[in-house]
Amino acid sequence: VQLVESGGGLVQTGGSLRLSCAASGLTFDEYAMAWYRQAPGKKREGVAWISNSDGSTHYSNSVKGRFTISTDSAKNTVFLQMDNVIPADAAVYYCAAGNLKILDRTSGHISYDDKFWGRGTQVFVSS
């Protein structure tokens, strides 16, 4: 299985960036896809998830309303559209394939069991 991220680079505060992750070696529709990020000195955190069963999307509070996760099943690709970027978004972004459970639809609580990871793509944000 390979997950290959691309699209990282330098973006200005308030700008936009679109990350892509091409998956191979797996049956794409059998996995929920996700984006995580890790800034220097910080733990890896999940930012966006998309269900393969109902297409629902879920976001961390830190990116909700600014980032959008989507998939193109024909191309086995997951995207992360990053809008209104802020300096705190600077990190290495990783995509993951795994299993998603929606624990509470009202609150949006989910659990994610990651199975496969990409190597990441770096995002820099200039102020």
Side-chain angles (χ1 to χ4, degrees):
V1 174
Q2 274 197 317
L3 301 177
V4 180
E5 301 93 338
S6 61
L10 177 65
V11 58
Q12 286 188 329
T13 296
S16 297
L17 202 62
R18 190 192 198 204
L19 306 183
S20 300
C21 172
S24 60
L26 53 73
T27 303
F28 189 75
D29 289 344
E30 291 184 355
Y31 293 90
M33 303 301 294
W35 286 95
Y36 285 70
R37 68 185 182 186
Q38 187 168 20
K42 294 190 175 182
K43 292 182 179 179
R44 188 176 295 191
E45 65 165 338
V47 296
W49 301 260
I50 184 165
S51 169
N52 59 309
S53 61
D54 65 3
S56 60
T57 56
H58 310 269
Y59 300 93
S60 66
N61 287 335
S62 59
V63 307
K64 193 175 295 183
R66 301 188 297 116
F67 289 11
T68 304
I69 186 171
S70 62
T71 57
D72 183 339
S73 295
K75 296 182 179 180
N76 286 4
T77 301
V78 57
F79 304 99
L80 185 68
Q81 178 66 39
M82 305 168 59
D83 296 319
N84 195 18
V85 171
I86 60 177
D89 294 326
V92 177
Y93 283 74
Y94 301 89
C95 75
N99 299 314
L100 177 73
K101 285 187 180 179
I102 300 173
L103 303 177
D104 187 321
R105 288 192 179 274
T106 302
S107 65
H109 285 170
I110 63 169
S111 70
Y112 189 72
D113 178 22
D114 57 89
K115 300 295 185 186
F116 306 106
W117 288 91
R119 293 189 174 186
T121 185
Q122 179 80 58
V123 172
F124 299 96
V125 181
S126 64
S127 55

Coordinates of all heavy atoms in Angstrom, one line a residue, residues 16-48:
S16 N -4.7 30.2 0.2 CA -5.2 28.8 0.1 C -4.2 27.9 -0.5 O -3.2 28.3 -1.2 CB -6.4 28.9 -0.9 OG -7.5 29.7 -0.4
L17 N -4.4 26.6 -0.2 CA -3.5 25.6 -0.7 C -4.3 24.3 -0.8 O -5.2 24.1 0.1 CB -2.3 25.4 0.3 CG -1.1 24.7 -0.2 CD1 -0.4 25.5 -1.3 CD2 -0.1 24.5 1.0
R18 N -4.0 23.5 -1.8 CA -4.8 22.2 -1.9 C -3.8 21.1 -1.9 O -2.9 21.0 -2.7 CB -5.5 22.2 -3.2 CG -6.5 21.0 -3.4 CD -7.0 20.9 -4.8 NE -8.2 20.1 -4.9 CZ -8.6 19.5 -6.0 NH1 -7.8 19.6 -7.1 NH2 -9.7 18.8 -6.0
L19 N -4.0 20.2 -0.9 CA -3.1 19.0 -0.8 C -3.8 17.8 -1.5 O -5.1 17.7 -1.4 CB -2.9 18.7 0.7 CG -2.3 19.8 1.5 CD1 -2.0 19.3 2.9 CD2 -1.0 20.4 0.9
S20 N -3.0 16.9 -2.0 CA -3.6 15.7 -2.6 C -2.8 14.5 -2.0 O -1.7 14.6 -1.6 CB -3.3 15.7 -4.1 OG -4.0 16.8 -4.8
C21 N -3.5 13.4 -2.0 CA -2.9 12.2 -1.6 C -3.4 11.0 -2.5 O -4.6 10.7 -2.5 CB -3.3 11.9 -0.1 SG -2.8 10.2 0.4
A22 N -2.5 10.5 -3.3 CA -2.8 9.4 -4.2 C -2.6 8.0 -3.5 O -1.5 7.8 -3.0 CB -2.0 9.5 -5.5
A23 N -3.6 7.2 -3.5 CA -3.5 5.9 -2.9 C -3.4 4.8 -3.9 O -4.0 4.9 -5.0 CB -4.8 5.7 -2.0
S24 N -2.6 3.8 -3.6 CA -2.5 2.6 -4.5 C -2.2 1.4 -3.6 O -1.8 1.5 -2.5 CB -1.3 2.8 -5.5 OG -0.1 3.0 -4.8
G25 N -2.6 0.2 -4.2 CA -2.3 -1.0 -3.5 C -3.4 -1.3 -2.5 O -3.3 -2.3 -1.7
L26 N -4.5 -0.6 -2.5 CA -5.6 -0.9 -1.6 C -6.9 -0.6 -2.4 O -6.9 0.0 -3.4 CB -5.6 0.0 -0.3 CG -5.5 1.5 -0.4 CD1 -6.8 2.1 -0.9 CD2 -5.1 2.0 0.9
T27 N -8.0 -1.2 -1.9 CA -9.3 -0.9 -2.5 C -9.8 0.4 -1.8 O -10.3 0.4 -0.7 CB -10.3 -2.1 -2.2 OG1 -9.7 -3.3 -2.7 CG2 -11.6 -1.8 -2.9
F28 N -9.7 1.4 -2.5 CA -9.9 2.8 -2.0 C -11.3 2.9 -1.3 O -11.3 3.5 -0.2 CB -9.8 3.8 -3.1 CG -9.8 5.2 -2.7 CD1 -8.6 5.8 -2.1 CD2 -10.9 6.1 -2.9 CE1 -8.6 7.1 -1.7 CE2 -10.9 7.4 -2.4 CZ -9.7 7.9 -1.9
D29 N -12.3 2.4 -1.9 CA -13.7 2.6 -1.3 C -13.9 1.8 0.0 O -14.9 2.0 0.6 CB -14.7 2.2 -2.4 CG -14.8 3.2 -3.5 OD1 -14.2 4.3 -3.3 OD2 -15.3 2.9 -4.6
E30 N -12.9 1.0 0.4 CA -13.1 0.2 1.6 C -12.5 1.0 2.8 O -12.6 0.5 3.9 CB -12.4 -1.2 1.5 CG -13.2 -2.1 0.5 CD -12.5 -3.5 0.4 OE1 -11.5 -3.7 1.1 OE2 -13.1 -4.3 -0.3
Y31 N -12.0 2.1 2.6 CA -11.3 2.9 3.7 C -11.8 4.3 3.8 O -12.1 4.9 2.8 CB -9.8 2.9 3.4 CG -9.1 1.6 3.5 CD1 -9.0 0.8 2.4 CD2 -8.7 1.1 4.8 CE1 -8.4 -0.5 2.5 CE2 -8.1 -0.1 4.9 CZ -7.9 -0.9 3.7 OH -7.4 -2.2 3.8
A32 N -12.0 4.7 5.0 CA -12.2 6.1 5.3 C -10.8 6.8 5.3 O -9.8 6.3 5.8 CB -12.8 6.3 6.7
M33 N -10.8 8.0 4.7 CA -9.5 8.7 4.5 C -9.5 9.8 5.5 O -10.5 10.4 5.9 CB -9.4 9.2 3.1 CG -9.4 8.1 2.0 SD -8.2 6.8 2.2 CE -6.7 7.7 1.9
A34 N -8.3 10.2 5.8 CA -8.1 11.3 6.8 C -6.8 12.1 6.5 O -5.9 11.6 5.8 CB -8.1 10.7 8.2
W35 N -6.8 13.3 7.1 CA -5.6 14.1 7.1 C -5.2 14.4 8.5 O -6.1 14.8 9.3 CB -5.8 15.4 6.3 CG -5.9 15.3 4.8 CD1 -7.0 15.1 4.1 CD2 -4.8 15.3 3.9 NE1 -6.7 15.0 2.7 CE2 -5.3 15.1 2.6 CE3 -3.4 15.4 4.1 CZ2 -4.5 15.0 1.5 CZ3 -2.6 15.3 3.0 CH2 -3.1 15.1 1.7
Y36 N -3.9 14.3 8.8 CA -3.4 14.6 10.1 C -2.2 15.6 9.8 O -1.8 15.8 8.7 CB -2.8 13.4 10.8 CG -3.9 12.5 11.4 CD1 -4.7 11.7 10.6 CD2 -4.0 12.3 12.7 CE1 -5.7 10.9 11.1 CE2 -5.0 11.5 13.3 CZ -5.8 10.8 12.5 OH -6.8 10.0 13.0
R37 N -1.8 16.3 10.9 CA -0.7 17.2 10.7 C 0.2 17.1 12.0 O -0.3 16.8 13.1 CB -1.1 18.6 10.5 CG -1.8 19.3 11.6 CD -2.3 20.6 11.2 NE -3.0 21.4 12.2 CZ -3.6 22.5 12.1 NH1 -3.7 23.1 10.9 NH2 -4.2 23.1 13.1
Q38 N 1.5 17.5 11.8 CA 2.4 17.5 13.0 C 3.3 18.7 12.8 O 4.1 18.8 11.9 CB 3.2 16.3 13.1 CG 4.0 16.2 14.4 CD 4.6 14.8 14.6 OE1 4.7 14.0 13.7 NE2 4.9 14.5 15.9
A39 N 3.2 19.6 13.8 CA 4.1 20.8 13.8 C 5.3 20.5 14.6 O 5.2 19.6 15.5 CB 3.3 22.0 14.3
P40 N 6.4 21.2 14.4 CA 7.6 20.9 15.2 C 7.4 21.0 16.7 O 6.7 22.0 17.2 CB 8.6 22.0 14.8 CG 8.1 22.4 13.4 CD 6.6 22.2 13.4
G41 N 7.8 20.0 17.4 CA 7.6 19.9 18.9 C 6.2 19.6 19.4 O 6.0 19.7 20.6
K42 N 5.3 19.3 18.4 CA 4.0 19.0 18.8 C 3.6 17.6 18.4 O 4.2 17.0 17.6 CB 3.0 20.0 18.2 CG 3.2 21.4 18.7 CD 2.1 22.3 18.3 CE 2.2 23.7 18.9 NZ 1.1 24.6 18.4
K43 N 2.5 17.1 19.1 CA 2.0 15.8 18.7 C 1.3 15.8 17.4 O 0.7 16.9 17.0 CB 1.1 15.3 19.8 CG 1.7 14.9 21.1 CD 0.7 14.4 22.1 CE 1.3 14.1 23.4 NZ 0.3 13.6 24.4
R44 N 1.2 14.7 16.7 CA 0.4 14.6 15.5 C -1.1 14.7 15.9 O -1.5 14.1 16.8 CB 0.6 13.3 14.8 CG 0.0 13.2 13.4 CD 0.4 11.9 12.7 NE 1.8 11.8 12.4 CZ 2.4 10.8 11.7 NH1 1.6 9.9 11.1 NH2 3.6 10.8 11.5
E45 N -1.8 15.6 15.1 CA -3.2 15.8 15.4 C -4.0 15.5 14.1 O -3.6 15.9 13.0 CB -3.5 17.2 15.9 CG -3.2 18.3 14.9 CD -3.8 19.6 15.3 OE1 -4.8 19.7 16.1 OE2 -3.3 20.6 14.8
G46 N -5.2 15.0 14.3 CA -6.1 14.8 13.2 C -6.8 16.1 12.9 O -7.2 16.8 13.8
V47 N -7.0 16.4 11.6 CA -7.7 17.6 11.2 C -9.0 17.3 10.4 O -9.9 18.1 10.5 CB -6.8 18.6 10.5 CG1 -5.7 19.0 11.4 CG2 -6.2 18.0 9.2
A48 N -9.0 16.3 9.6 CA -10.2 16.0 8.7 C -10.3 14.5 8.4 O -9.3 13.9 8.2 CB -10.1 16.8 7.5

